[in-house]
Structures are given as structure tokens and as C-alpha cells.
Amino acid sequence: MARVLVAVTGGVAAIKVPHLLRLLRAQGHEVRVLASRRALEFVTPLSLAVAAGGEVATEEAWFRPDGRALHIELARWAEVVLVAPATVDALARAALGLADDLLGATLLAGAPRVAWAPAMNEAMWLAPQTQAHAERLKALGHALFGPAYGPLAALGEGEGWGRMLEPEELVERLNAFLTPKDLEGLRLLVSAGPTREYLDPVRFLSNPSSGRMGYAVAEAARDRGAQVFLVSGPTALPDPWGVEVVRVESALEMRRAILDRYPWAEAVVMAAAVADYRPAEVSREKEPKGEAEKVVRLVPNPDILQELGERKEGRVLVGFAMETGEGLERAKEKLRRKNLDLIALNWVNREGVGFASLENEVVLLARDGRVWELPRMRKRQVADRILDAVKEFWKA
Ligand code: C5P
């Protein structure tokens, strides 16, 4: 958690900042807020102060009667500055190092890490001057979050590049920005979600996997600097930003997509709940309803992970095992048989964990015999523990 200075400049998206401040505080960040004169034409100091839980730093309050100068104080206090919304003018001034307003002076006075959430008209964003300023800021180590494509605020503008990212996504981006990049350079292939094995064009066999565990691994690895490729079965989850995603349905499609990317990967986390069987015959037409009993003949699907294990060549391989009983011995046997480095064992029938839930209770078994019994925790935390182990094997 960090001390975050949110700097608001004059754009319509400033009305979203109180919500952003609340989300940051709910995540445990400490916040202070700085508002430009123009920002206060869009959002009131009071609504910012209430959401931030403290006074707003404004141009008028820059130099205090007691001699304190806010730009020095804020630059020392902040661990990160998030400028949201960032106008074209604010970007340009920071790129040039101008310091005749409170934000400019704070940035120059030694604010350590800076992230920008641009919000402007598309033409202004794409103007070569703005792009050059954005490049300059990136070269200084600043981060740019967005802008996104979508409806723009100015009348008659329609859609375009220039929308500020939504507060929820800004918080995600900021957390990623603050995460140490200990997996920089790792090329990680992740699978997630269920597969669908079709009987006819509308009926299929599947399972209740939500994809959350695999997506959590993909997102955590991205935040830690890895390049991530996600092969996802059908899920209700949106594509994570900063991750290349391929969507598939059946186990055979998943196998194809994974094998295609396997030569690229240095590590694979196979979190998908791949169906073990598929119907032997798939009807091209929808099967009509009938009175008679029906028998469906199933044939086994290839075990993708086992195939990867047979062609491992120095890669780190992680599997999941979902068991109903104790399952420890069976998981160990799978780890050996599939030639894995790590297997994450979880239980189907425990309340509040596993399929579709936000939490998981996992035992990690490593190929060298080490066992970590993790307490119940959020899937994102489980993902980080798995990645800690991946890192060890990757570096070894
Ligand atoms: O043998 P079992 O299905 O329990 O193994 C689970 C692990 O193997 C998971 O990591 C799963 O993604 C993977 N798997 C696979 N292909 C299959 C079945 C499971 O890659 N056909």
C-alpha cells in the first residue's frame, strides 16, 4: 500500500475522481489530493475533500501563512503521483518541466513515481506535440494509463481515443505500477476456464470452472513484469489488460492453442479445467427431442499437460489437481507422471473455495518434495504464491 497523491486537472472526467479516491482508500492506500484551478470548475473542493478524507491542495493554498510550501511537502510525502484526469496542457507542461503551478512544482520538487491518466479530445491526444510529450514522460520513467477508446465528453464528438480509464481500472494499473518487477522477462503461458465438448450445435458437456484462478495467475504475473499469453475456455471474465488472450471452446482447440505457443513459453501454468472426455460423435444438426433413452459414447481427450511434460526442455510446468478426498498422494503421483515442477492441490467439496469462488485453499507440492499448505486466501494471493515458486524454478 502506498501514499498516493491524486492530482486533478481540468477535464470533465474530474467528476470521477471522488470515486477513484474512495476506491484507493478502500484498497488501503493513503491518499491526498491536489486540484488545479480548472479542475475545480468540474468538481468541488468539498466532494474531493470528503472522498480523500482530508484537505485539498489548491493553487490558493500553495504557500501557507506559516511559510510552508505545499509543493515541497507533497513531493516528500507522496510515494506515487497519479494525475487523473490529465489534460493535454498538464502533460505538455510536465514534459517541459514548467513549474509555475502547484502540480508542476510538485513534480519537479522530487515526486518519486508519476502516472498519468490522460483525458482529452482524440485529435488533441493524437497531435504530434502531445505524442512527443507523452514519449518524453515515458522516457523519464513515468507511466501512462490509457487513454481508452469510447464516447468522448465534448458535444458532437462521438467516440474516439481520449477517454480517461474508469476508476476501477486506474486502481488496477496503479497497483501494477507499484508492484516490483521480479518476473521481468519471463514468458508465461497460462490456461484458464472450462472446456465445452459439444454433442450438437447447442448442447455440450462442461464444468463450473469460472476461470478466476487462471486469470488471477495471468494478472499477477503481468503486474510482476512477465509477458503473459492466456488461453481461456469460455468464461464471463473480461480479457485482462496487458495480456494476450486467445479464447477457445473445446479441449482439442485448447490443445492446439497451447501447443502453438509452447515453443515461445518459458513457464506454463495449466489452470484450465479441461474436460477428460468428449462425445465420440458430434451431430451437425440439433438433435430432436425424443422419448427413447439415449446413450452417449465418450472418448478420452488428450492430456495436454502430460504432452507438455513429455517435451519439457527446461520449462517450468505447473498443474492443478482438483480432488474430493485428501488427494495428496494422487497429486504427488500426477506431479511425477506429468513431469511437473509444481502442482496446486485444491478440493472440490470445501465450502467457499475452488470452482467459481473468489477464494481458494491450496496445498502446493514441488517436485523436490517441498510442501506448502497455504491458508484460505484470495485467488490473487494464491496466484502470487504459485508465481513465487515458478520464479525459483525459472531462475534455478
Ligand atoms: O489429471 P488431472 O485432470 O487431475 O490433472 C489436472 C491438471 O492437468 C490440470 O493442470 C489440468 O489443466 C491438466 N489437464 C490437461 N489436459 C487434460 C486434463 C487435465 O492439461 N485433458
Side-chain angles (χ1 to χ4, degrees):
M1 298 308 108
R3 292 189 301 275
V4 185
L5 174 64
V6 177
V8 195
T9 64
V12 183
I15 54 172
K16 296 182 181 172
V17 174
H19 181 47
L20 171 66
L21 293 166
R22 280 193 200 93
L23 292 176
L24 288 167
R25 289 175 71 196
Q27 294 239 326
H29 294 296
E30 262 185 82
V31 298
R32 286 179 74 172
V33 57
L34 178 164
S36 74
R37 206 167 272 139
R38 272 280 156 78
L40 298 178
E41 293 175 17
F42 295 95
V43 61
T44 71
L46 192 56
S47 60
L48 291 172
V50 170
E55 214 179 315
V56 180
T58 59
E59 298 296 322
E60 281 64 38
W62 186 344
F63 291 96
R64 300 303 184 85
D66 62 6
R68 283 190 301 145
L70 263 186
H71 62 296
I72 306 287
E73 187 179 312
L74 291 172
R76 289 204 181 132
W77 176 85
E79 287 170 277
V80 62
V81 181
L82 171 61
V83 189
T87 58
V88 72
D89 192 62
L91 286 168
R93 300 167 65 78
L96 295 171
L98 302 183
D100 63 349
D101 64 359
L102 180 55
L103 173 58
T106 304
L107 293 178
L108 277 192
R113 294 167 139 196
V114 187
W116 299 85
M120 61 195 66
N121 155 289
E122 181 180 78
M124 291 169 94
W125 168 246
L126 295 177
Q129 298 92 321
T130 310
Q131 290 298 310
H133 291 142
E135 287 308 316
R136 174 80 193 119
L137 292 172
K138 279 192 221 162
L140 291 170
H142 294 197
L144 271 99
F145 303 158
Y149 188 88
L152 299 174
L155 281 181
E157 277 298 296
E159 301 211 331
W161 288 102
R163 252 182 95 78
M164 188 176 83
L165 296 186
E166 293 303 324
E168 286 75 9
E169 189 166 347
L170 287 178
V171 174
E172 273 186 34
R173 298 281 185 123
L174 190 76
N175 289 337
F177 184 50
L178 296 171
T179 304
K181 303 290 176 254
D182 63 338
L183 296 179
E184 186 98 66
L186 172 68
R187 295 191 301 272
L188 178 69
L189 178 57
V190 181
S191 73
T195 63
R196 285 181 181 170
E197 311 301 329
Y198 280 90
L199 292 147
D200 71 19
V202 293
R203 300 186 182 93
F204 54 78
L205 303 173
S206 191
N207 62 64
S209 167
S210 66
R212 284 207 180 90
M213 192 60 240
Y215 279 58
V217 170
E219 291 171 355
R222 167 204 67 201
D223 289 358
R224 290 167 69 164
Q227 288 178 58
V228 184
F229 192 91
L230 173 64
V231 177
S232 175
T235 70
L237 303 173
D239 288 1
W241 59 269
V243 169
E244 214 178 320
V245 184
V246 163
R247 300 242 175 204
V248 297
E249 287 202 280
S250 66
L252 293 180
E253 284 168 17
M254 182 169 277
R255 175 178 173 274
R256 190 69 268 147
I258 288 175
L259 291 182
D260 279 351
R261 266 294 158 148
Y262 195 49
W264 166 89
E266 291 174 286
V268 182
V269 176
M270 204 51 213
V274 184
D276 291 320
Y277 294 93
R278 67 179 185 277
E281 286 101 35
V282 186
S283 164
R284 281 170 168 272
E285 305 293 328
K286 186 183 167 204
E287 289 282 312
K289 186 163 73 177
E291 296 294 316
E293 273 185 17
K294 276 183 90 101
V295 175
V296 177
R297 200 164 58 84
L298 302 174
V299 293
N301 271 327
D303 191 315
I304 305 168
L305 192 51
Q306 184 140 352
E307 268 185 74
L308 303 185
E310 284 159 14
R311 306 163 34 186
K312 189 170 171 187
E313 293 166 9
R315 294 183 186 83
V316 182
L317 292 184
V318 181
F320 278 75
M322 186 153 262
E323 304 289 351
T324 39
E326 273 306 302
L328 209 63
E329 283 312 312
R330 270 205 302 278
K332 277 187 192 159
E333 184 276 319
K334 268 178 208 169
L335 180 113
R336 269 194 302 275
R337 176 163 47 86
K338 302 195 186 196
N339 197 13
L340 309 179
D341 297 284
L342 197 71
I343 195 157
L345 166 63
N346 48 162
W347 290 269
V348 189
N349 49 358
R350 291 207 180 160
E351 191 87 2
V353 298
F355 273 157
S357 61
L358 295 173
E359 294 193 319
N360 213 349
E361 203 176 301
V362 162
V363 179
L364 294 182
L365 305 164
R367 91 182 282 136
D368 54 19
R370 280 180 296 167
V371 178
W372 295 276
E373 280 191 46
L374 306 184
R376 180 177 298 204
M377 47 171 90
R378 298 184 66 80
K379 285 182 173 170
R380 177 58 181 256
Q381 291 172 295
V382 176
D384 273 315
R385 298 296 289 271
I386 291 171
L387 291 169
D388 290 344
V390 167
K391 180 172 132 187
E392 251 191 63
F393 289 111
W394 173 52
K395 295 247 155 116

